[in-house]
Amino acid sequence: MDRKQLIEAVKSQMPAKRWEHTLGVMETSVILARRYGCDPEKAYTAAILHDVCKFWPVQEQAKVIRENNLPQDLLDYDKELWHAHAGAFIAKRNYGIGDEEILDAIRYHTSGRQGMSLLEKVVCLADYIEPGRDFPGVHNIREIAEHNVEKALLYAFDGTIRFLLDKGRKVYPLTIHARNGLVDEIKLSEPVEPELQN
Ligand code: DGI
Ligand code: FE
Ligand code: FE
């Protein structure tokens, strides 16, 4: 299947509005990949497929998770998390994507995880800030994304976690780990205060 056929196949799985979002993620993923130095081709492919299962009936998504040995604990958390893991599986099985880096970028685009690769960060952040997104704080995150991918993604996860807490919902552990991991990465990348150096 060539790139054009892949795009048509994925497009047919979702309503037009959601395809608009996917186009936004494709464009933004490539920009971020070039800016931060990971493979724009891989970012583009992951972006095309990232929400491939999003509009499948949730029972279909759950079935993919149950029957293919994907993490079963997902089924105890919000249904919104399921399409990412199911999507990575479908990308491999139905669309022949064999590259594990691309599959991980699809798999972790919603929850995140500790120690995310640059490609995972780029696709996850693009999903938050593509031009069609409009939520409180998105302008600020877009600005930070101009120069610091980890900080922008940290603020994005903080927003999601706050949203889930405000609604009294559960937070999937990988999201907490992703958030804590980014805090550590940012700390390590910042210059040490002169008085603390020895
Ligand atoms: O598929 P999209 O709508 O483009 O975006 P997404 O894959 O990032 O899904 C985001 C939704 O998932 C958002 O409304 C919050 C919801 N969600 C529910 N539980 C969790 C969660 N998101 C994260 N990161 N962690 C959770 O535990
Ligand atoms: Fe998604
Ligand atoms: Fe998305």
Side-chain angles (χ1 to χ4, degrees):
M1 187 180 278
D2 65 22
R3 188 47 77 61
K4 211 161 162 246
Q5 288 168 322
L6 177 65
I7 287 174
E8 286 309 314
V10 176
K11 188 178 171 182
S12 74
Q13 310 276 315
M14 58 186 74
K17 186 98 187 56
R18 187 40 69 152
W19 180 249
E20 288 285 302
H21 159 73
T22 297
L23 286 174
V25 179
M26 286 151 64
E27 181 195 333
T28 306
S29 290
V30 169
I31 294 170
L32 293 175
R34 293 209 177 106
R35 183 175 298 154
Y36 292 106
C38 62
D39 187 337
E41 290 288 325
K42 291 191 186 196
Y44 191 69
T45 304
I48 294 170
L49 282 152
H50 85 285
D51 278 341
V52 64
C53 289
K54 178 94 181 179
F55 286 85
W56 288 20
V58 284
Q59 283 321 315
E60 288 293 315
Q61 298 177 30
K63 195 165 175 247
V64 172
I65 291 170
R66 264 199 313 272
E67 293 181 356
N68 299 288
N69 212 17
L70 308 190
Q72 299 300 302
D73 65 344
L74 283 166
L75 301 172
D76 299 326
Y77 289 87
D78 202 295
K79 296 175 177 58
E80 295 275 352
L81 291 156
W82 302 354
H83 72 284
H85 285 258
F89 179 83
I90 293 302
K92 187 169 191 174
R93 192 188 66 184
N94 296 12
Y95 299 101
I97 306 298
D99 186 314
E100 287 299 328
E101 290 180 44
I102 296 174
L103 295 174
D104 281 340
I106 301 169
R107 187 173 288 125
Y108 298 108
H109 86 265
T110 305
S111 64
R113 64 166 167 170
Q114 181 153 30
M116 292 169 80
S117 70
L118 188 52
L119 187 70
E120 290 169 36
K121 289 172 185 168
V122 156
V123 175
C124 188
L125 180 58
D127 193 25
Y128 276 100
I129 65 169
E130 60 91 4
R133 290 289 203 204
D134 184 20
F135 58 84
V138 72
H139 298 294
N140 185 36
I141 297 174
R142 282 194 187 110
E143 267 177 39
I144 299 165
E146 296 283 330
H147 57 90
N148 191 324
V149 65
E150 282 80 22
K151 256 188 196 165
L153 194 53
L154 172 64
Y155 291 146
F157 279 131
D158 282 354
T160 298
I161 293 168
R162 236 177 249 126
F163 165 85
L164 293 169
L165 296 182
D166 287 347
K167 300 260 174 205
R169 287 168 41 191
K170 296 205 279 191
V171 183
Y172 191 52
L174 284 193
T175 302
I176 304 291
H177 292 313
R179 193 255 169 203
N180 290 344
L182 288 165
V183 170
D184 286 343
E185 281 185 54
I186 291 163
K187 212 181 277 166
L188 283 174
S189 71
E190 279 174 353
V192 180
E193 300 279 330
E195 64 269 25
L196 298 177
Q197 280 175 341
N198 52 32

Short mmCIF file of all heavy atoms in Angstrom, two decimals, residues 120-166:
data_model
loop_
_atom_site.label_atom_id
_atom_site.label_comp_id
_atom_site.label_asym_id
_atom_site.label_seq_id
_atom_site.Cartn_x
_atom_site.Cartn_y
_atom_site.Cartn_z
N GLU A 120 7.76 9.91 19.63
CA GLU A 120 6.54 9.80 20.45
C GLU A 120 6.12 11.18 20.96
O GLU A 120 4.94 11.54 20.93
CB GLU A 120 6.76 8.85 21.63
CG GLU A 120 6.89 7.40 21.23
CD GLU A 120 7.37 6.50 22.37
OE1 GLU A 120 7.00 6.73 23.54
OE2 GLU A 120 8.14 5.57 22.08
N LYS A 121 7.10 11.95 21.43
CA LYS A 121 6.79 13.30 21.95
C LYS A 121 6.20 14.19 20.86
O LYS A 121 5.23 14.92 21.08
CB LYS A 121 8.05 13.96 22.50
CG LYS A 121 8.59 13.36 23.78
CD LYS A 121 9.95 13.96 24.12
CE LYS A 121 10.57 13.30 25.33
NZ LYS A 121 11.99 13.66 25.51
N VAL A 122 6.82 14.10 19.70
CA VAL A 122 6.41 14.96 18.57
C VAL A 122 4.97 14.67 18.15
O VAL A 122 4.16 15.59 17.98
CB VAL A 122 7.42 14.75 17.39
CG1 VAL A 122 6.80 15.09 16.06
CG2 VAL A 122 8.69 15.56 17.65
N VAL A 123 4.62 13.41 18.02
CA VAL A 123 3.26 13.06 17.57
C VAL A 123 2.25 13.39 18.67
O VAL A 123 1.17 13.94 18.40
CB VAL A 123 3.19 11.57 17.15
CG1 VAL A 123 1.76 11.16 16.82
CG2 VAL A 123 4.12 11.32 15.96
N CYS A 124 2.61 13.11 19.90
CA CYS A 124 1.72 13.40 21.03
C CYS A 124 1.47 14.90 21.15
O CYS A 124 0.32 15.35 21.31
CB CYS A 124 2.36 12.84 22.30
SG CYS A 124 1.31 12.88 23.73
N LEU A 125 2.54 15.69 21.02
CA LEU A 125 2.39 17.15 21.11
C LEU A 125 1.62 17.70 19.91
O LEU A 125 0.75 18.56 20.07
CB LEU A 125 3.77 17.80 21.23
CG LEU A 125 3.78 19.33 21.34
CD1 LEU A 125 2.97 19.80 22.55
CD2 LEU A 125 5.22 19.86 21.42
N ALA A 126 1.91 17.17 18.73
CA ALA A 126 1.18 17.62 17.53
C ALA A 126 -0.32 17.38 17.68
O ALA A 126 -1.14 18.19 17.25
CB ALA A 126 1.72 16.89 16.29
N ASP A 127 -0.66 16.28 18.32
CA ASP A 127 -2.07 15.94 18.56
C ASP A 127 -2.73 17.03 19.43
O ASP A 127 -3.90 17.36 19.24
CB ASP A 127 -2.13 14.57 19.24
CG ASP A 127 -3.51 13.98 19.27
OD1 ASP A 127 -4.35 14.32 18.42
OD2 ASP A 127 -3.77 13.15 20.17
N TYR A 128 -1.98 17.57 20.37
CA TYR A 128 -2.51 18.64 21.23
C TYR A 128 -2.61 19.99 20.53
O TYR A 128 -3.53 20.76 20.78
CB TYR A 128 -1.61 18.84 22.46
CG TYR A 128 -1.87 17.91 23.62
CD1 TYR A 128 -1.07 16.79 23.83
CD2 TYR A 128 -2.91 18.16 24.52
CE1 TYR A 128 -1.29 15.94 24.90
CE2 TYR A 128 -3.13 17.32 25.59
CZ TYR A 128 -2.33 16.21 25.78
OH TYR A 128 -2.56 15.37 26.84
N ILE A 129 -1.62 20.30 19.69
CA ILE A 129 -1.52 21.70 19.23
C ILE A 129 -1.81 21.90 17.75
O ILE A 129 -1.62 23.00 17.23
CB ILE A 129 -0.12 22.31 19.55
CG1 ILE A 129 1.00 21.61 18.77
CG2 ILE A 129 0.13 22.31 21.06
CD1 ILE A 129 2.34 22.34 18.86
N GLU A 130 -2.27 20.86 17.04
CA GLU A 130 -2.56 21.07 15.60
C GLU A 130 -3.52 22.25 15.45
O GLU A 130 -4.26 22.57 16.39
CB GLU A 130 -3.06 19.76 14.96
CG GLU A 130 -4.34 19.17 15.53
CD GLU A 130 -5.59 19.65 14.82
OE1 GLU A 130 -5.48 20.39 13.83
OE2 GLU A 130 -6.69 19.29 15.29
N PRO A 131 -3.50 22.91 14.27
CA PRO A 131 -4.21 24.18 14.13
C PRO A 131 -5.70 24.14 14.48
O PRO A 131 -6.27 25.16 14.89
CB PRO A 131 -4.02 24.54 12.65
CG PRO A 131 -2.81 23.79 12.21
CD PRO A 131 -2.73 22.56 13.06
N GLY A 132 -6.34 22.98 14.36
CA GLY A 132 -7.77 22.89 14.66
C GLY A 132 -8.11 22.82 16.15
O GLY A 132 -9.27 22.91 16.53
N ARG A 133 -7.11 22.64 16.99
CA ARG A 133 -7.35 22.51 18.44
C ARG A 133 -7.64 23.87 19.07
O ARG A 133 -6.94 24.86 18.79
CB ARG A 133 -6.14 21.91 19.14
CG ARG A 133 -5.89 20.47 18.84
CD ARG A 133 -6.91 19.58 19.49
NE ARG A 133 -6.38 18.23 19.65
CZ ARG A 133 -7.14 17.14 19.75
NH1 ARG A 133 -8.45 17.22 19.69
NH2 ARG A 133 -6.58 15.97 19.90
N ASP A 134 -8.62 23.88 19.95
CA ASP A 134 -8.96 25.12 20.64
C ASP A 134 -9.41 24.77 22.06
O ASP A 134 -10.55 24.45 22.29
CB ASP A 134 -10.10 25.80 19.87
CG ASP A 134 -10.44 27.15 20.48
OD1 ASP A 134 -9.60 27.70 21.21
OD2 ASP A 134 -11.57 27.62 20.24
N PHE A 135 -8.47 24.75 22.98
CA PHE A 135 -8.83 24.51 24.39
C PHE A 135 -8.06 25.53 25.22
O PHE A 135 -7.06 26.09 24.74
CB PHE A 135 -8.52 23.06 24.80
CG PHE A 135 -7.08 22.64 24.63
CD1 PHE A 135 -6.12 22.92 25.60
CD2 PHE A 135 -6.67 21.98 23.48
CE1 PHE A 135 -4.80 22.54 25.43
CE2 PHE A 135 -5.35 21.59 23.30
CZ PHE A 135 -4.41 21.88 24.29
N PRO A 136 -8.52 25.80 26.45
CA PRO A 136 -7.83 26.81 27.25
C PRO A 136 -6.34 26.44 27.39
O PRO A 136 -6.03 25.30 27.72
CB PRO A 136 -8.54 26.75 28.61
CG PRO A 136 -9.81 26.01 28.39
CD PRO A 136 -9.64 25.17 27.16
N GLY A 137 -5.48 27.39 27.11
CA GLY A 137 -4.05 27.14 27.28
C GLY A 137 -3.34 26.69 26.02
O GLY A 137 -2.11 26.59 26.00
N VAL A 138 -4.08 26.42 24.94
CA VAL A 138 -3.41 25.89 23.74
C VAL A 138 -2.44 26.90 23.12
O VAL A 138 -1.38 26.52 22.62
CB VAL A 138 -4.44 25.36 22.69
CG1 VAL A 138 -5.19 26.46 22.01
CG2 VAL A 138 -3.74 24.47 21.64
N HIS A 139 -2.77 28.21 23.23
CA HIS A 139 -1.87 29.22 22.65
C HIS A 139 -0.52 29.20 23.36
O HIS A 139 0.53 29.25 22.73
CB HIS A 139 -2.49 30.62 22.74
CG HIS A 139 -3.77 30.72 21.99
ND1 HIS A 139 -3.82 30.63 20.62
CD2 HIS A 139 -5.05 30.88 22.39
CE1 HIS A 139 -5.07 30.72 20.22
NE2 HIS A 139 -5.85 30.87 21.27
N ASN A 140 -0.59 29.12 24.67
CA ASN A 140 0.63 29.07 25.47
C ASN A 140 1.47 27.84 25.11
O ASN A 140 2.69 27.94 24.91
CB ASN A 140 0.22 29.05 26.95
CG ASN A 140 1.42 29.13 27.87
OD1 ASN A 140 2.40 29.80 27.57
ND2 ASN A 140 1.36 28.42 28.98
N ILE A 141 0.82 26.70 24.97
CA ILE A 141 1.56 25.47 24.64
C ILE A 141 2.16 25.58 23.24
O ILE A 141 3.30 25.17 23.02
CB ILE A 141 0.65 24.22 24.77
CG1 ILE A 141 0.18 24.07 26.22
CG2 ILE A 141 1.39 22.96 24.33
CD1 ILE A 141 -0.83 22.97 26.46
N ARG A 142 1.43 26.20 22.31
CA ARG A 142 1.98 26.39 20.95
C ARG A 142 3.25 27.25 21.00
O ARG A 142 4.23 26.97 20.30
CB ARG A 142 0.97 27.07 20.03
CG ARG A 142 -0.09 26.13 19.53
CD ARG A 142 -0.87 26.71 18.36
NE ARG A 142 -1.99 25.82 18.05
CZ ARG A 142 -3.27 26.09 18.28
NH1 ARG A 142 -3.64 27.26 18.76
NH2 ARG A 142 -4.21 25.20 18.00
N GLU A 143 3.22 28.27 21.84
CA GLU A 143 4.40 29.15 21.95
C GLU A 143 5.60 28.39 22.51
O GLU A 143 6.71 28.50 22.00
CB GLU A 143 4.08 30.34 22.86
CG GLU A 143 3.59 31.53 22.05
CD GLU A 143 3.20 32.69 22.96
OE1 GLU A 143 3.90 32.92 23.97
OE2 GLU A 143 2.18 33.32 22.64
N ILE A 144 5.35 27.63 23.56
CA ILE A 144 6.45 26.86 24.17
C ILE A 144 6.97 25.82 23.19
O ILE A 144 8.18 25.55 23.13
CB ILE A 144 5.99 26.21 25.50
CG1 ILE A 144 5.56 27.29 26.49
CG2 ILE A 144 7.10 25.36 26.12
CD1 ILE A 144 4.78 26.78 27.67
N ALA A 145 6.07 25.26 22.38
CA ALA A 145 6.47 24.25 21.38
C ALA A 145 7.40 24.82 20.33
O ALA A 145 8.04 24.06 19.59
CB ALA A 145 5.23 23.65 20.72
N GLU A 146 7.50 26.14 20.23
CA GLU A 146 8.46 26.76 19.30
C GLU A 146 9.90 26.45 19.72
O GLU A 146 10.80 26.46 18.89
CB GLU A 146 8.30 28.29 19.28
CG GLU A 146 6.97 28.78 18.77
CD GLU A 146 6.88 28.70 17.25
OE1 GLU A 146 7.92 28.82 16.59
OE2 GLU A 146 5.75 28.46 16.75
N HIS A 147 10.12 26.24 21.04
CA HIS A 147 11.52 26.07 21.47
C HIS A 147 11.78 24.93 22.44
O HIS A 147 12.94 24.57 22.65
CB HIS A 147 12.06 27.40 22.06
CG HIS A 147 11.25 27.91 23.20
ND1 HIS A 147 11.50 27.56 24.48
CD2 HIS A 147 10.17 28.74 23.22
CE1 HIS A 147 10.61 28.16 25.26
NE2 HIS A 147 9.79 28.86 24.52
N ASN A 148 10.74 24.33 23.04
CA ASN A 148 11.02 23.27 24.01
C ASN A 148 9.93 22.20 23.98
O ASN A 148 8.84 22.39 24.53
CB ASN A 148 11.16 23.88 25.41
CG ASN A 148 11.71 22.89 26.43
OD1 ASN A 148 11.41 21.70 26.39
ND2 ASN A 148 12.52 23.39 27.35
N VAL A 149 10.23 21.09 23.33
CA VAL A 149 9.22 20.05 23.14
C VAL A 149 8.80 19.41 24.47
O VAL A 149 7.63 19.12 24.70
CB VAL A 149 9.69 18.99 22.09
CG1 VAL A 149 10.90 18.22 22.55
CG2 VAL A 149 8.57 18.03 21.72
N GLU A 150 9.79 19.22 25.38
CA GLU A 150 9.47 18.57 26.67
C GLU A 150 8.57 19.47 27.52
O GLU A 150 7.60 19.02 28.12
CB GLU A 150 10.74 18.24 27.47
CG GLU A 150 11.48 17.00 26.97
CD GLU A 150 12.35 17.27 25.76
OE1 GLU A 150 12.73 18.45 25.54
OE2 GLU A 150 12.68 16.31 25.02
N LYS A 151 8.90 20.76 27.58
CA LYS A 151 8.09 21.68 28.39
C LYS A 151 6.67 21.79 27.83
O LYS A 151 5.69 21.80 28.57
CB LYS A 151 8.73 23.07 28.42
CG LYS A 151 9.41 23.33 29.73
CD LYS A 151 9.88 24.76 29.87
CE LYS A 151 10.89 24.78 31.02
NZ LYS A 151 11.69 25.97 31.07
N ALA A 152 6.58 21.89 26.51
CA ALA A 152 5.25 22.00 25.89
C ALA A 152 4.42 20.76 26.20
O ALA A 152 3.24 20.86 26.56
CB ALA A 152 5.40 22.19 24.38
N LEU A 153 5.05 19.59 26.10
CA LEU A 153 4.31 18.35 26.35
C LEU A 153 3.96 18.23 27.84
O LEU A 153 2.86 17.76 28.18
CB LEU A 153 5.15 17.15 25.89
CG LEU A 153 4.43 15.82 25.76
CD1 LEU A 153 3.18 15.92 24.89
CD2 LEU A 153 5.35 14.75 25.21
N LEU A 154 4.86 18.67 28.72
CA LEU A 154 4.55 18.66 30.16
C LEU A 154 3.30 19.49 30.43
O LEU A 154 2.38 19.04 31.12
CB LEU A 154 5.74 19.21 30.96
CG LEU A 154 5.48 19.43 32.45
CD1 LEU A 154 5.19 18.11 33.17
CD2 LEU A 154 6.68 20.12 33.11
N TYR A 155 3.22 20.68 29.88
CA TYR A 155 2.06 21.53 30.11
C TYR A 155 0.80 20.91 29.51
O TYR A 155 -0.29 21.04 30.07
CB TYR A 155 2.28 22.96 29.59
CG TYR A 155 3.32 23.71 30.39
CD1 TYR A 155 4.18 24.64 29.81
CD2 TYR A 155 3.44 23.50 31.76
CE1 TYR A 155 5.14 25.32 30.55
CE2 TYR A 155 4.40 24.16 32.51
CZ TYR A 155 5.25 25.07 31.90
OH TYR A 155 6.19 25.73 32.65
N ALA A 156 0.97 20.23 28.39
CA ALA A 156 -0.18 19.56 27.77
C ALA A 156 -0.71 18.45 28.70
O ALA A 156 -1.91 18.38 28.97
CB ALA A 156 0.21 19.00 26.41
N PHE A 157 0.20 17.61 29.20
CA PHE A 157 -0.23 16.54 30.13
C PHE A 157 -0.82 17.15 31.40
O PHE A 157 -1.81 16.64 31.94
CB PHE A 157 0.93 15.61 30.48
CG PHE A 157 1.23 14.56 29.44
CD1 PHE A 157 2.53 14.35 28.98
CD2 PHE A 157 0.21 13.77 28.91
CE1 PHE A 157 2.80 13.37 28.03
CE2 PHE A 157 0.47 12.80 27.95
CZ PHE A 157 1.77 12.60 27.51
N ASP A 158 -0.19 18.22 31.90
CA ASP A 158 -0.73 18.86 33.11
C ASP A 158 -2.19 19.27 32.88
O ASP A 158 -3.04 19.09 33.75
CB ASP A 158 0.10 20.09 33.49
CG ASP A 158 1.40 19.71 34.19
OD1 ASP A 158 1.61 18.50 34.48
OD2 ASP A 158 2.22 20.62 34.45
N GLY A 159 -2.45 19.83 31.71
CA GLY A 159 -3.81 20.25 31.38
C GLY A 159 -4.78 19.07 31.36
O GLY A 159 -5.88 19.15 31.91
N THR A 160 -4.34 17.97 30.75
CA THR A 160 -5.21 16.77 30.69
C THR A 160 -5.45 16.22 32.08
O THR A 160 -6.58 15.86 32.44
CB THR A 160 -4.55 15.69 29.80
OG1 THR A 160 -4.42 16.21 28.48
CG2 THR A 160 -5.40 14.43 29.74
N ILE A 161 -4.37 16.14 32.87
CA ILE A 161 -4.52 15.59 34.23
C ILE A 161 -5.47 16.47 35.05
O ILE A 161 -6.37 15.97 35.72
CB ILE A 161 -3.13 15.44 34.92
CG1 ILE A 161 -2.31 14.36 34.20
CG2 ILE A 161 -3.29 15.10 36.40
CD1 ILE A 161 -0.83 14.32 34.57
N ARG A 162 -5.29 17.79 34.95
CA ARG A 162 -6.18 18.72 35.66
C ARG A 162 -7.64 18.53 35.24
O ARG A 162 -8.54 18.48 36.07
CB ARG A 162 -5.75 20.16 35.35
CG ARG A 162 -5.43 20.95 36.58
CD ARG A 162 -4.93 22.34 36.22
NE ARG A 162 -3.53 22.46 36.55
CZ ARG A 162 -2.58 22.83 35.72
NH1 ARG A 162 -2.85 23.13 34.46
NH2 ARG A 162 -1.35 22.92 36.14
N PHE A 163 -7.83 18.38 33.93
CA PHE A 163 -9.17 18.17 33.37
C PHE A 163 -9.80 16.89 33.96
O PHE A 163 -10.95 16.89 34.40
CB PHE A 163 -9.06 18.09 31.84
CG PHE A 163 -10.25 17.53 31.13
CD1 PHE A 163 -11.32 18.36 30.79
CD2 PHE A 163 -10.31 16.19 30.76
CE1 PHE A 163 -12.43 17.84 30.12
CE2 PHE A 163 -11.42 15.66 30.09
CZ PHE A 163 -12.48 16.50 29.77
N LEU A 164 -9.00 15.83 34.00
CA LEU A 164 -9.52 14.56 34.52
C LEU A 164 -9.83 14.67 36.01
O LEU A 164 -10.86 14.17 36.48
CB LEU A 164 -8.52 13.43 34.26
CG LEU A 164 -8.30 13.06 32.78
CD1 LEU A 164 -7.11 12.13 32.61
CD2 LEU A 164 -9.55 12.41 32.17
N LEU A 165 -8.95 15.35 36.77
CA LEU A 165 -9.18 15.53 38.21
C LEU A 165 -10.45 16.33 38.44
O LEU A 165 -11.28 15.98 39.28
CB LEU A 165 -7.99 16.23 38.88
CG LEU A 165 -6.64 15.49 38.88
CD1 LEU A 165 -5.59 16.31 39.62
CD2 LEU A 165 -6.75 14.10 39.50
N ASP A 166 -10.60 17.42 37.67
CA ASP A 166 -11.79 18.28 37.83
C ASP A 166 -13.08 17.51 37.58
O ASP A 166 -14.11 17.80 38.17
CB ASP A 166 -11.73 19.48 36.86
CG ASP A 166 -10.70 20.51 37.31
OD1 ASP A 166 -10.23 20.41 38.47
OD2 ASP A 166 -10.38 21.39 36.50
#
